[in-house]
Amino acid sequence: MSASSKKSFYITTTLPYVNAEPHIGFATEILRADVLNRWKKIGGHDVFFNTGTDEHGLKIYQKAQEEDIDIRDFVNKYSDKFKGLIELLGIDKNVHFIRTTDEKHIKAAQEFWKRCQKDIEKKIYKTKYCIGCELEKTDSELENGQCVLHPNLEIEEREEENYFFKFSNYQEKLLDLYKSRPDFVIPDFRFNEIKSFVEKGLEDFSISRLKEKMPWGVPVPGDPKHIMYVWFDALVSYISTLGWPSDDENFNKFWVNGTPTQYAGKDNLRQQSAMWQAMLMSAEIPNSHQIIINGFINSSGQKMSKSLGNVISPSELVEKYGTEATRYLLLRHVHPWEDTGITWEKLDEWYNAHLANGLGNLVSRIMTLAAANLEKPAEIPEWENMEEYFALLEKYDFNAAMDYIWNKIGTLDLLIQDKKPWESKDKKVISDLAIRLYSIARMINPLMPETSAKIKALVKANKKPENLFPRLN
Protein backbone atom coordinates (compact mmCIF):
# COMPACT_ATOMS: atom_id res chain seq x y z
CA MET A 1 0.00 0.00 0.00
CA SER A 2 1.45 3.37 -1.00
CA ALA A 3 1.85 6.11 1.61
CA SER A 4 -0.65 8.31 -0.25
CA SER A 5 -3.36 5.63 -0.17
CA LYS A 6 -3.03 4.80 3.53
CA LYS A 7 -5.70 5.88 5.99
CA SER A 8 -4.38 8.42 8.49
CA PHE A 9 -4.62 7.98 12.25
CA TYR A 10 -3.58 10.36 15.04
CA ILE A 11 -2.96 9.32 18.64
CA THR A 12 -1.67 11.45 21.49
CA THR A 13 -1.06 11.05 25.18
CA THR A 14 -1.59 13.92 27.55
CA LEU A 15 1.56 15.95 28.17
CA PRO A 16 2.74 15.28 31.73
CA TYR A 17 3.96 18.07 33.97
CA VAL A 18 7.71 18.18 34.36
CA ASN A 19 7.57 18.91 38.08
CA ALA A 20 8.95 15.51 39.14
CA GLU A 21 10.17 12.12 37.90
CA PRO A 22 7.93 10.00 35.63
CA HIS A 23 5.74 7.41 37.41
CA ILE A 24 3.99 4.29 36.18
CA GLY A 25 0.64 6.04 35.75
CA PHE A 26 1.95 7.98 32.78
CA ALA A 27 4.12 5.03 31.71
CA THR A 28 0.92 2.98 31.36
CA GLU A 29 -0.73 5.75 29.34
CA ILE A 30 2.11 6.04 26.84
CA LEU A 31 2.31 2.24 26.56
CA ARG A 32 -1.37 2.05 25.67
CA ALA A 33 -0.95 4.77 23.08
CA ASP A 34 2.07 2.88 21.70
CA VAL A 35 0.03 -0.34 21.37
CA LEU A 36 -2.68 1.55 19.50
CA ASN A 37 -0.04 3.15 17.29
CA ARG A 38 1.54 -0.23 16.48
CA TRP A 39 -1.81 -1.92 15.93
CA LYS A 40 -2.97 0.77 13.51
CA LYS A 41 0.30 0.51 11.59
CA ILE A 42 -0.13 -3.26 11.31
CA GLY A 43 -3.59 -2.51 9.88
CA GLY A 44 -2.07 -0.34 7.17
CA HIS A 45 -2.63 3.14 8.65
CA ASP A 46 -0.26 6.09 8.37
CA VAL A 47 0.02 7.01 12.06
CA PHE A 48 1.06 10.24 13.77
CA PHE A 49 1.90 9.30 17.36
CA ASN A 50 2.42 12.22 19.74
CA THR A 51 3.63 12.69 23.28
CA GLY A 52 5.73 15.31 25.04
CA THR A 53 5.93 17.48 28.14
CA ASP A 54 3.89 20.32 29.65
CA GLU A 55 6.44 22.79 30.98
CA HIS A 56 4.55 25.87 32.16
CA GLY A 57 2.41 26.62 35.21
CA LEU A 58 2.65 27.41 38.89
CA LYS A 59 3.60 23.93 40.10
CA ILE A 60 6.67 23.87 37.88
CA TYR A 61 7.64 27.43 38.73
CA GLN A 62 7.41 26.75 42.47
CA LYS A 63 9.30 23.46 42.20
CA ALA A 64 12.20 25.13 40.39
CA GLN A 65 12.32 27.77 43.12
CA GLU A 66 12.32 25.07 45.81
CA GLU A 67 15.28 23.37 44.14
CA ASP A 68 16.98 26.75 43.59
CA ILE A 69 17.53 26.01 39.93
CA ASP A 70 17.01 28.15 36.84
CA ILE A 71 13.54 27.43 35.45
CA ARG A 72 14.83 26.55 31.98
CA ASP A 73 17.45 24.20 33.38
CA PHE A 74 14.72 22.64 35.53
CA VAL A 75 12.30 21.94 32.66
CA ASN A 76 15.12 20.71 30.41
CA LYS A 77 16.23 18.21 33.05
CA TYR A 78 12.78 16.76 33.63
CA SER A 79 11.71 16.85 30.00
CA ASP A 80 14.74 14.67 29.20
CA LYS A 81 13.56 12.17 31.81
CA PHE A 82 10.15 11.86 30.16
CA LYS A 83 11.72 11.64 26.71
CA GLY A 84 13.84 8.82 28.11
CA LEU A 85 10.67 6.73 28.53
CA ILE A 86 10.67 6.17 24.77
CA GLU A 87 13.76 3.95 24.92
CA LEU A 88 13.12 2.67 28.44
CA LEU A 89 9.65 1.28 27.60
CA GLY A 90 10.32 0.20 24.02
CA ILE A 91 8.09 2.91 22.57
CA ASP A 92 8.02 3.31 18.79
CA LYS A 93 11.04 5.50 17.97
CA ASN A 94 8.98 7.36 15.35
CA VAL A 95 6.89 9.00 18.08
CA HIS A 96 6.76 12.80 17.92
CA PHE A 97 7.83 14.56 21.12
CA ILE A 98 6.64 18.12 21.67
CA ARG A 99 7.56 20.48 24.50
CA THR A 100 5.31 23.40 25.38
CA THR A 101 8.46 25.54 25.62
CA ASP A 102 9.17 24.89 21.92
CA GLU A 103 9.06 28.14 19.99
CA LYS A 104 6.71 26.69 17.38
CA HIS A 105 4.27 25.70 20.11
CA ILE A 106 4.40 29.12 21.78
CA LYS A 107 3.57 30.81 18.47
CA ALA A 108 0.75 28.32 17.85
CA ALA A 109 -0.73 28.92 21.32
CA GLN A 110 -0.71 32.67 20.71
CA GLU A 111 -2.37 32.23 17.31
CA PHE A 112 -4.99 29.97 18.89
CA TRP A 113 -5.70 32.65 21.50
CA LYS A 114 -6.30 35.19 18.72
CA ARG A 115 -8.73 32.85 16.95
CA CYS A 116 -10.70 32.47 20.20
CA GLN A 117 -10.74 36.24 20.81
CA LYS A 118 -14.52 36.54 20.42
CA ASP A 119 -14.90 34.24 23.43
CA ILE A 120 -12.27 35.91 25.63
CA GLU A 121 -12.90 38.76 28.06
CA LYS A 122 -11.10 40.29 31.03
CA LYS A 123 -12.80 40.32 34.44
CA ILE A 124 -12.16 39.88 38.14
CA TYR A 125 -11.14 36.37 39.07
CA LYS A 126 -12.21 35.16 42.51
CA THR A 127 -12.20 31.46 43.23
CA LYS A 128 -10.94 28.52 45.22
CA TYR A 129 -7.97 26.99 43.48
CA CYS A 130 -6.07 23.69 43.72
CA ILE A 131 -2.42 24.03 42.71
CA GLY A 132 -2.17 20.24 42.31
CA CYS A 133 -4.89 20.20 39.62
CA GLU A 134 -4.09 23.69 38.31
CA LEU A 135 -7.89 24.14 38.30
CA GLU A 136 -10.61 26.18 39.95
CA LYS A 137 -12.77 24.18 42.36
CA THR A 138 -16.41 24.64 43.34
CA ASP A 139 -17.55 23.83 46.87
CA SER A 140 -19.27 20.68 45.58
CA GLU A 141 -15.90 19.39 44.32
CA LEU A 142 -14.24 19.71 47.72
CA GLU A 143 -14.43 17.38 50.71
CA ASN A 144 -13.82 18.98 54.10
CA GLY A 145 -12.45 21.97 52.23
CA GLN A 146 -9.80 19.88 50.43
CA CYS A 147 -9.37 18.67 46.86
CA VAL A 148 -10.15 14.93 46.76
CA LEU A 149 -7.22 14.33 44.38
CA HIS A 150 -4.69 16.39 46.37
CA PRO A 151 -5.79 16.24 50.02
CA ASN A 152 -2.25 17.14 51.11
CA LEU A 153 -2.43 20.60 49.47
CA GLU A 154 -4.19 23.65 50.84
CA ILE A 155 -6.93 25.14 48.70
CA GLU A 156 -6.03 28.73 47.81
CA GLU A 157 -8.53 31.57 47.57
CA ARG A 158 -7.61 33.96 44.78
CA GLU A 159 -8.85 37.30 43.54
CA GLU A 160 -7.27 39.17 40.67
CA GLU A 161 -8.02 40.42 37.16
CA ASN A 162 -7.70 37.67 34.54
CA TYR A 163 -8.80 36.84 31.03
CA PHE A 164 -11.65 34.35 30.86
CA PHE A 165 -12.78 31.94 28.17
CA LYS A 166 -16.57 32.03 27.73
CA PHE A 167 -17.12 28.36 28.41
CA SER A 168 -20.77 29.14 29.11
CA ASN A 169 -21.30 29.88 25.39
CA TYR A 170 -20.68 26.23 24.52
CA GLN A 171 -23.04 24.19 26.67
CA GLU A 172 -25.50 23.36 23.90
CA LYS A 173 -22.80 22.89 21.27
CA LEU A 174 -20.98 20.43 23.51
CA LEU A 175 -24.18 18.52 24.23
CA ASP A 176 -24.87 18.39 20.48
CA LEU A 177 -21.36 17.02 19.93
CA TYR A 178 -21.90 14.33 22.56
CA LYS A 179 -25.27 13.41 21.06
CA SER A 180 -23.78 13.06 17.59
CA ARG A 181 -20.85 10.93 18.82
CA PRO A 182 -22.18 8.16 21.10
CA ASP A 183 -18.65 6.82 21.67
CA PHE A 184 -16.89 10.18 21.90
CA VAL A 185 -15.59 9.36 25.40
CA ILE A 186 -14.47 5.85 26.37
CA PRO A 187 -15.56 4.26 28.73
CA ASP A 188 -19.27 5.08 28.73
CA PHE A 189 -19.48 5.83 32.47
CA ARG A 190 -16.89 8.59 32.02
CA PHE A 191 -18.91 9.86 29.07
CA ASN A 192 -21.99 9.98 31.29
CA GLU A 193 -19.96 11.87 33.88
CA ILE A 194 -18.91 14.64 31.50
CA LYS A 195 -22.38 14.90 29.96
CA SER A 196 -23.82 15.36 33.44
CA PHE A 197 -21.21 18.04 34.20
CA VAL A 198 -22.06 20.01 31.06
CA GLU A 199 -25.82 19.61 31.50
CA LYS A 200 -25.61 21.32 34.90
CA GLY A 201 -24.35 24.50 33.23
CA LEU A 202 -20.88 25.82 32.50
CA GLU A 203 -18.93 28.59 34.19
CA ASP A 204 -16.38 30.65 32.29
CA PHE A 205 -12.83 29.70 33.25
CA SER A 206 -9.73 31.78 33.72
CA ILE A 207 -7.13 31.47 30.96
CA SER A 208 -4.47 33.91 32.16
CA ARG A 209 -2.40 34.84 35.18
CA LEU A 210 -0.70 38.09 36.09
CA LYS A 211 2.90 37.93 34.99
CA GLU A 212 4.12 39.67 38.15
CA LYS A 213 2.75 36.76 40.21
CA MET A 214 3.50 33.88 37.85
CA PRO A 215 6.05 34.85 35.19
CA TRP A 216 6.61 31.38 33.71
CA GLY A 217 4.28 30.86 30.76
CA VAL A 218 3.28 31.86 27.22
CA PRO A 219 2.75 35.63 26.88
CA VAL A 220 -0.82 36.71 26.13
CA PRO A 221 -0.93 38.37 22.70
CA GLY A 222 -1.20 42.15 23.05
CA ASP A 223 -1.01 42.22 26.85
CA PRO A 224 2.48 41.91 28.38
CA LYS A 225 1.04 41.93 31.92
CA HIS A 226 -0.53 38.47 31.47
CA ILE A 227 0.67 34.98 30.65
CA MET A 228 -1.56 32.12 29.51
CA TYR A 229 -3.16 29.75 31.97
CA VAL A 230 -1.31 26.44 31.75
CA TRP A 231 -4.29 24.39 30.53
CA PHE A 232 -5.08 26.77 27.67
CA ASP A 233 -1.48 26.69 26.53
CA ALA A 234 -0.90 22.93 26.94
CA LEU A 235 -4.05 21.75 25.15
CA VAL A 236 -2.98 23.52 21.97
CA SER A 237 0.00 21.13 21.82
CA TYR A 238 -2.26 18.48 20.27
CA ILE A 239 -2.39 20.53 17.09
CA SER A 240 0.85 22.52 17.30
CA THR A 241 2.72 19.19 17.12
CA LEU A 242 1.18 18.74 13.65
CA GLY A 243 2.62 22.06 12.53
CA TRP A 244 -0.60 24.04 12.97
CA PRO A 245 -1.22 26.78 11.90
CA SER A 246 1.49 26.84 9.20
CA ASP A 247 1.60 23.21 8.01
CA ASP A 248 -1.84 22.75 6.46
CA GLU A 249 -0.95 19.50 4.72
CA ASN A 250 0.09 17.67 7.88
CA PHE A 251 -2.70 19.18 9.99
CA ASN A 252 -5.41 18.36 7.45
CA LYS A 253 -4.09 14.84 6.95
CA PHE A 254 -4.03 13.80 10.58
CA TRP A 255 -6.49 16.12 12.39
CA VAL A 256 -9.10 17.21 9.85
CA ASN A 257 -9.21 14.05 7.74
CA GLY A 258 -7.79 11.61 10.27
CA THR A 259 -9.22 10.35 13.52
CA PRO A 260 -7.58 12.41 16.30
CA THR A 261 -7.67 10.21 19.39
CA GLN A 262 -6.50 11.25 22.84
CA TYR A 263 -5.47 9.24 25.90
CA ALA A 264 -5.91 10.88 29.32
CA GLY A 265 -6.35 10.07 32.99
CA LYS A 266 -9.70 10.52 34.71
CA ASP A 267 -8.46 13.73 36.35
CA ASN A 268 -8.23 15.13 32.80
CA LEU A 269 -11.80 14.29 31.82
CA ARG A 270 -13.14 17.86 32.02
CA GLN A 271 -10.15 19.44 30.31
CA GLN A 272 -9.97 17.00 27.40
CA SER A 273 -13.61 16.27 26.65
CA ALA A 274 -15.22 19.64 27.46
CA MET A 275 -12.78 22.56 27.83
CA TRP A 276 -10.57 21.59 24.89
CA GLN A 277 -13.56 20.76 22.70
CA ALA A 278 -15.14 24.17 23.41
CA MET A 279 -11.82 25.87 22.64
CA LEU A 280 -11.64 24.03 19.31
CA MET A 281 -15.18 25.13 18.48
CA SER A 282 -14.27 28.72 19.28
CA ALA A 283 -11.20 28.58 17.02
CA GLU A 284 -13.34 26.92 14.30
CA ILE A 285 -11.20 23.79 14.27
CA PRO A 286 -12.74 20.28 14.05
CA ASN A 287 -13.22 18.48 17.34
CA SER A 288 -11.28 15.47 18.51
CA HIS A 289 -12.50 12.09 17.29
CA GLN A 290 -12.34 10.22 20.58
CA ILE A 291 -11.14 10.63 24.17
CA ILE A 292 -9.99 7.51 26.06
CA ILE A 293 -10.01 7.97 29.84
CA ASN A 294 -7.79 5.80 32.06
CA GLY A 295 -8.29 4.99 35.72
CA PHE A 296 -5.66 5.71 38.38
CA ILE A 297 -2.94 3.43 39.70
CA ASN A 298 -3.19 3.31 43.47
CA SER A 299 -0.60 2.63 46.13
CA SER A 300 -1.60 2.15 49.76
CA GLY A 301 -5.19 3.03 48.88
CA GLN A 302 -4.35 6.42 47.33
CA LYS A 303 -3.92 7.62 43.75
CA MET A 304 -0.28 7.29 42.74
CA SER A 305 0.90 10.83 42.10
CA LYS A 306 4.07 12.89 42.19
CA SER A 307 2.58 15.42 44.60
CA LEU A 308 1.67 12.68 47.11
CA GLY A 309 5.10 11.06 46.83
CA ASN A 310 3.81 7.47 46.61
CA VAL A 311 5.08 6.59 43.15
CA ILE A 312 6.73 3.56 41.62
CA SER A 313 9.00 4.67 38.82
CA PRO A 314 9.07 2.96 35.43
CA SER A 315 12.87 2.81 35.65
CA GLU A 316 12.56 0.70 38.83
CA LEU A 317 10.25 -1.71 36.99
CA VAL A 318 12.54 -2.03 33.99
CA GLU A 319 15.60 -2.47 36.20
CA LYS A 320 13.93 -5.37 38.00
CA TYR A 321 11.86 -7.03 35.27
CA GLY A 322 13.15 -5.74 31.92
CA THR A 323 11.38 -3.66 29.27
CA GLU A 324 9.17 -6.36 27.77
CA ALA A 325 8.05 -7.69 31.14
CA THR A 326 7.25 -4.14 32.24
CA ARG A 327 5.08 -3.72 29.15
CA TYR A 328 3.31 -6.97 30.02
CA LEU A 329 2.75 -6.06 33.69
CA LEU A 330 1.30 -2.61 32.99
CA LEU A 331 -0.71 -3.54 29.90
CA ARG A 332 -2.30 -6.66 31.34
CA HIS A 333 -2.62 -5.98 35.05
CA VAL A 334 -3.59 -2.30 35.15
CA HIS A 335 -7.32 -2.01 34.40
CA PRO A 336 -8.04 0.22 31.39
CA TRP A 337 -10.91 2.15 32.97
CA GLU A 338 -11.08 1.44 36.71
CA ASP A 339 -8.53 2.23 39.42
CA THR A 340 -5.91 -0.47 40.04
CA GLY A 341 -3.90 -1.23 43.16
CA ILE A 342 -0.24 -2.10 42.55
CA THR A 343 2.33 -3.51 44.98
CA TRP A 344 5.75 -5.03 44.45
CA GLU A 345 4.43 -8.33 45.80
CA LYS A 346 1.71 -8.45 43.15
CA LEU A 347 4.16 -7.53 40.40
CA ASP A 348 6.53 -10.35 41.41
CA GLU A 349 3.64 -12.82 41.52
CA TRP A 350 2.37 -11.83 38.06
CA TYR A 351 5.86 -11.96 36.55
CA ASN A 352 6.67 -15.45 37.85
CA ALA A 353 3.25 -16.94 37.17
CA HIS A 354 2.57 -15.56 33.69
CA LEU A 355 5.98 -14.82 32.17
CA ALA A 356 8.60 -17.06 33.78
CA ASN A 357 6.30 -20.06 34.33
CA GLY A 358 3.87 -19.10 31.55
CA LEU A 359 5.02 -17.73 28.21
CA GLY A 360 8.73 -18.19 28.82
CA ASN A 361 8.34 -21.82 29.85
CA LEU A 362 6.01 -22.55 26.91
CA VAL A 363 8.49 -21.18 24.38
CA SER A 364 11.29 -23.21 25.95
CA ARG A 365 9.30 -26.47 25.93
CA ILE A 366 8.07 -26.20 22.35
CA MET A 367 11.27 -24.95 20.73
CA THR A 368 13.45 -27.44 22.62
CA LEU A 369 11.23 -30.20 21.16
CA ALA A 370 11.30 -28.61 17.69
CA ALA A 371 15.09 -28.15 17.62
CA ALA A 372 15.63 -31.77 18.68
CA ASN A 373 13.05 -33.47 16.45
CA LEU A 374 12.33 -31.39 13.30
CA GLU A 375 14.75 -31.49 10.36
CA LYS A 376 13.53 -28.09 9.15
CA PRO A 377 11.44 -25.23 10.57
CA ALA A 378 7.67 -25.58 10.68
CA GLU A 379 5.88 -24.09 7.67
CA ILE A 380 4.13 -20.92 8.83
CA PRO A 381 0.69 -20.41 7.26
CA GLU A 382 -0.87 -17.10 6.24
CA TRP A 383 -2.65 -15.05 8.91
CA GLU A 384 -5.38 -17.12 10.49
CA ASN A 385 -8.75 -15.78 11.64
CA MET A 386 -8.14 -13.57 14.66
CA GLU A 387 -11.23 -11.36 14.44
CA GLU A 388 -12.17 -11.93 18.08
CA TYR A 389 -8.73 -10.80 19.19
CA PHE A 390 -8.66 -7.85 16.77
CA ALA A 391 -12.01 -6.66 18.14
CA LEU A 392 -10.50 -6.35 21.63
CA LEU A 393 -7.70 -4.14 20.29
CA GLU A 394 -10.22 -1.97 18.45
CA LYS A 395 -12.05 -1.43 21.75
CA TYR A 396 -8.77 -0.33 23.44
CA ASP A 397 -9.22 -3.21 25.91
CA PHE A 398 -5.62 -4.33 26.04
CA ASN A 399 -6.17 -6.19 29.32
CA ALA A 400 -8.74 -8.40 27.63
CA ALA A 401 -6.46 -8.79 24.60
CA MET A 402 -3.70 -10.01 26.92
CA ASP A 403 -6.14 -12.36 28.64
CA TYR A 404 -7.10 -13.75 25.23
CA ILE A 405 -3.44 -14.47 24.43
CA TRP A 406 -2.74 -16.04 27.81
CA ASN A 407 -5.79 -18.27 27.42
CA LYS A 408 -4.20 -19.48 24.18
CA ILE A 409 -0.97 -20.08 26.10
CA GLY A 410 -2.89 -22.12 28.69
CA THR A 411 -4.63 -24.13 25.97
CA LEU A 412 -1.28 -24.88 24.34
CA ASP A 413 0.16 -26.04 27.67
CA LEU A 414 -2.79 -28.44 28.07
CA LEU A 415 -2.30 -29.73 24.53
CA ILE A 416 1.34 -30.52 25.29
CA GLN A 417 0.32 -32.41 28.41
CA ASP A 418 -2.28 -34.33 26.42
CA LYS A 419 -0.09 -35.23 23.41
CA LYS A 420 3.13 -35.89 25.38
CA PRO A 421 5.37 -35.16 22.35
CA TRP A 422 8.54 -35.64 24.40
CA GLU A 423 7.57 -39.34 24.48
CA SER A 424 6.00 -39.81 21.03
CA LYS A 425 8.51 -37.61 19.09
CA ASP A 426 5.57 -37.09 16.68
CA LYS A 427 6.87 -34.56 14.14
CA LYS A 428 3.39 -33.48 13.03
CA VAL A 429 2.37 -32.70 16.62
CA ILE A 430 5.59 -30.83 17.32
CA SER A 431 5.31 -28.85 14.08
CA ASP A 432 1.72 -27.95 14.95
CA LEU A 433 2.85 -26.74 18.39
CA ALA A 434 5.49 -24.51 16.77
CA ILE A 435 2.92 -23.07 14.35
CA ARG A 436 0.55 -22.32 17.24
CA LEU A 437 3.39 -20.66 19.11
CA TYR A 438 4.06 -18.48 16.05
CA SER A 439 0.40 -17.47 16.08
CA ILE A 440 0.79 -16.31 19.69
CA ALA A 441 3.84 -14.30 18.64
CA ARG A 442 1.77 -12.62 15.93
CA MET A 443 -0.92 -11.61 18.41
CA ILE A 444 1.53 -10.31 20.96
CA ASN A 445 3.32 -8.10 18.41
CA PRO A 446 1.78 -4.67 19.24
CA LEU A 447 1.88 -5.40 22.98
CA MET A 448 5.34 -6.92 23.43
CA PRO A 449 7.10 -6.31 20.09
CA GLU A 450 10.58 -7.48 21.09
CA THR A 451 9.24 -10.73 22.57
CA SER A 452 7.14 -11.27 19.45
CA ALA A 453 10.18 -10.84 17.22
CA LYS A 454 12.29 -13.23 19.33
CA ILE A 455 9.66 -15.99 19.25
CA LYS A 456 9.12 -15.61 15.49
CA ALA A 457 12.87 -15.82 14.89
CA LEU A 458 13.14 -19.00 17.00
CA VAL A 459 10.31 -20.72 15.13
CA LYS A 460 11.65 -19.73 11.71
CA ALA A 461 15.16 -20.90 12.64
CA ASN A 462 13.92 -24.00 14.46
CA LYS A 463 16.20 -23.00 17.30
CA LYS A 464 16.29 -23.82 21.00
CA PRO A 465 15.65 -20.57 22.92
CA GLU A 466 17.40 -18.57 25.54
CA ASN A 467 15.51 -18.12 28.80
CA LEU A 468 13.14 -15.29 27.81
CA PHE A 469 11.92 -14.51 31.34
CA PRO A 470 14.16 -15.85 34.09
CA ARG A 471 12.28 -16.69 37.26
CA LEU A 472 12.67 -14.26 40.16
CA ASN A 473 14.31 -15.71 43.26
Short mmCIF file of all heavy atoms in Angstrom, two decimals, residues 173-184 191 195 281 287-289:
data_model
loop_
_atom_site.label_atom_id
_atom_site.label_comp_id
_atom_site.label_asym_id
_atom_site.label_seq_id
_atom_site.Cartn_x
_atom_site.Cartn_y
_atom_site.Cartn_z
N LYS A 173 -23.65 23.44 22.33
CA LYS A 173 -22.80 22.89 21.27
C LYS A 173 -22.07 21.63 21.73
O LYS A 173 -21.92 20.68 20.96
CB LYS A 173 -21.80 23.95 20.80
CG LYS A 173 -22.46 25.10 20.03
CD LYS A 173 -21.44 26.11 19.55
CE LYS A 173 -22.11 27.24 18.79
NZ LYS A 173 -21.14 28.26 18.32
N LEU A 174 -21.62 21.63 22.98
CA LEU A 174 -20.98 20.43 23.51
C LEU A 174 -21.97 19.28 23.62
O LEU A 174 -21.65 18.14 23.25
CB LEU A 174 -20.36 20.72 24.87
CG LEU A 174 -19.06 21.53 24.86
CD1 LEU A 174 -18.68 21.94 26.28
CD2 LEU A 174 -17.91 20.74 24.22
N LEU A 175 -23.16 19.57 24.11
CA LEU A 175 -24.18 18.52 24.23
C LEU A 175 -24.56 17.97 22.86
O LEU A 175 -24.79 16.77 22.70
CB LEU A 175 -25.40 19.05 24.97
CG LEU A 175 -25.17 19.38 26.46
CD1 LEU A 175 -26.42 20.00 27.06
CD2 LEU A 175 -24.77 18.13 27.25
N ASP A 176 -24.60 18.85 21.85
CA ASP A 176 -24.87 18.39 20.48
C ASP A 176 -23.75 17.49 19.98
O ASP A 176 -24.00 16.47 19.32
CB ASP A 176 -25.03 19.59 19.54
CG ASP A 176 -26.34 20.34 19.74
OD1 ASP A 176 -27.26 19.78 20.39
OD2 ASP A 176 -26.43 21.50 19.27
N LEU A 177 -22.50 17.86 20.30
CA LEU A 177 -21.36 17.02 19.93
C LEU A 177 -21.48 15.65 20.56
O LEU A 177 -21.32 14.61 19.89
CB LEU A 177 -20.05 17.69 20.36
CG LEU A 177 -18.78 16.84 20.25
CD1 LEU A 177 -18.45 16.57 18.79
CD2 LEU A 177 -17.60 17.53 20.95
N TYR A 178 -21.78 15.61 21.85
CA TYR A 178 -21.90 14.33 22.56
C TYR A 178 -23.03 13.48 21.99
O TYR A 178 -22.90 12.25 21.87
CB TYR A 178 -22.15 14.58 24.04
CG TYR A 178 -21.08 15.37 24.77
CD1 TYR A 178 -21.37 16.07 25.94
CD2 TYR A 178 -19.77 15.44 24.29
CE1 TYR A 178 -20.40 16.81 26.61
CE2 TYR A 178 -18.80 16.17 24.94
CZ TYR A 178 -19.11 16.85 26.10
OH TYR A 178 -18.16 17.58 26.76
N LYS A 179 -24.13 14.15 21.61
CA LYS A 179 -25.27 13.41 21.06
C LYS A 179 -24.93 12.81 19.70
O LYS A 179 -25.35 11.69 19.37
CB LYS A 179 -26.47 14.35 20.93
CG LYS A 179 -27.76 13.65 20.50
CD LYS A 179 -28.93 14.61 20.50
CE LYS A 179 -30.23 13.92 20.10
NZ LYS A 179 -31.37 14.87 20.10
N SER A 180 -24.13 13.53 18.93
CA SER A 180 -23.78 13.06 17.59
C SER A 180 -22.69 12.00 17.59
O SER A 180 -22.50 11.30 16.62
CB SER A 180 -23.33 14.24 16.72
OG SER A 180 -22.08 14.76 17.17
N ARG A 181 -21.96 11.89 18.72
CA ARG A 181 -20.85 10.93 18.82
C ARG A 181 -21.06 10.04 20.05
O ARG A 181 -20.53 10.31 21.12
CB ARG A 181 -19.52 11.66 18.98
CG ARG A 181 -19.24 12.72 17.92
CD ARG A 181 -18.32 12.21 16.83
NE ARG A 181 -17.82 13.32 16.02
CZ ARG A 181 -16.69 13.96 16.24
NH1 ARG A 181 -15.92 13.62 17.26
NH2 ARG A 181 -16.32 14.94 15.44
N PRO A 182 -21.85 8.98 19.93
CA PRO A 182 -22.18 8.16 21.10
C PRO A 182 -21.00 7.45 21.75
O PRO A 182 -21.12 6.96 22.87
CB PRO A 182 -23.19 7.14 20.54
CG PRO A 182 -22.99 7.15 19.07
CD PRO A 182 -22.53 8.52 18.70
N ASP A 183 -19.86 7.41 21.07
CA ASP A 183 -18.65 6.82 21.67
C ASP A 183 -17.53 7.85 21.74
O ASP A 183 -16.35 7.49 21.69
CB ASP A 183 -18.21 5.59 20.89
CG ASP A 183 -17.88 5.90 19.43
OD1 ASP A 183 -18.17 7.04 18.97
OD2 ASP A 183 -17.34 5.02 18.73
N PHE A 184 -17.90 9.11 21.89
CA PHE A 184 -16.89 10.18 21.90
C PHE A 184 -15.92 10.03 23.07
O PHE A 184 -14.73 10.27 22.94
CB PHE A 184 -17.58 11.55 21.98
CG PHE A 184 -16.64 12.72 21.96
CD1 PHE A 184 -15.88 12.99 20.84
CD2 PHE A 184 -16.50 13.54 23.07
CE1 PHE A 184 -14.99 14.06 20.81
CE2 PHE A 184 -15.62 14.61 23.06
CZ PHE A 184 -14.87 14.88 21.92
N PHE A 191 -18.13 9.03 29.99
CA PHE A 191 -18.91 9.86 29.07
C PHE A 191 -20.15 10.41 29.78
O PHE A 191 -20.48 11.59 29.67
CB PHE A 191 -19.30 9.05 27.84
CG PHE A 191 -19.72 9.87 26.65
CD1 PHE A 191 -19.49 11.24 26.59
CD2 PHE A 191 -20.32 9.26 25.56
CE1 PHE A 191 -19.87 11.99 25.48
CE2 PHE A 191 -20.70 10.00 24.45
CZ PHE A 191 -20.48 11.36 24.41
N LYS A 195 -21.08 14.38 30.43
CA LYS A 195 -22.38 14.90 29.96
C LYS A 195 -23.16 15.50 31.12
O LYS A 195 -23.76 16.57 30.98
CB LYS A 195 -23.18 13.78 29.29
CG LYS A 195 -22.69 13.44 27.90
CD LYS A 195 -23.61 12.49 27.16
CE LYS A 195 -23.48 11.07 27.63
NZ LYS A 195 -24.21 10.11 26.78
N MET A 281 -14.00 24.53 19.13
CA MET A 281 -15.18 25.13 18.48
C MET A 281 -14.99 26.63 18.31
O MET A 281 -15.31 27.20 17.26
CB MET A 281 -16.42 24.84 19.32
CG MET A 281 -16.86 23.40 19.35
SD MET A 281 -18.22 23.15 20.54
CE MET A 281 -18.50 21.39 20.38
N ASN A 287 -13.41 19.09 16.02
CA ASN A 287 -13.22 18.48 17.34
C ASN A 287 -12.41 17.19 17.26
O ASN A 287 -12.23 16.62 16.18
CB ASN A 287 -14.57 18.21 18.00
CG ASN A 287 -15.26 19.48 18.44
OD1 ASN A 287 -16.18 19.94 17.78
ND2 ASN A 287 -14.81 20.05 19.53
N SER A 288 -11.95 16.76 18.41
CA SER A 288 -11.28 15.47 18.51
C SER A 288 -12.25 14.37 18.06
O SER A 288 -13.47 14.55 18.07
CB SER A 288 -10.85 15.20 19.95
OG SER A 288 -10.07 16.26 20.46
N HIS A 289 -11.68 13.24 17.69
CA HIS A 289 -12.50 12.09 17.29
C HIS A 289 -12.95 11.29 18.50
O HIS A 289 -14.11 10.90 18.60
CB HIS A 289 -11.71 11.21 16.34
CG HIS A 289 -12.37 9.90 16.00
ND1 HIS A 289 -13.49 9.82 15.20
CD2 HIS A 289 -12.08 8.63 16.39
CE1 HIS A 289 -13.86 8.56 15.09
NE2 HIS A 289 -13.02 7.81 15.80
#
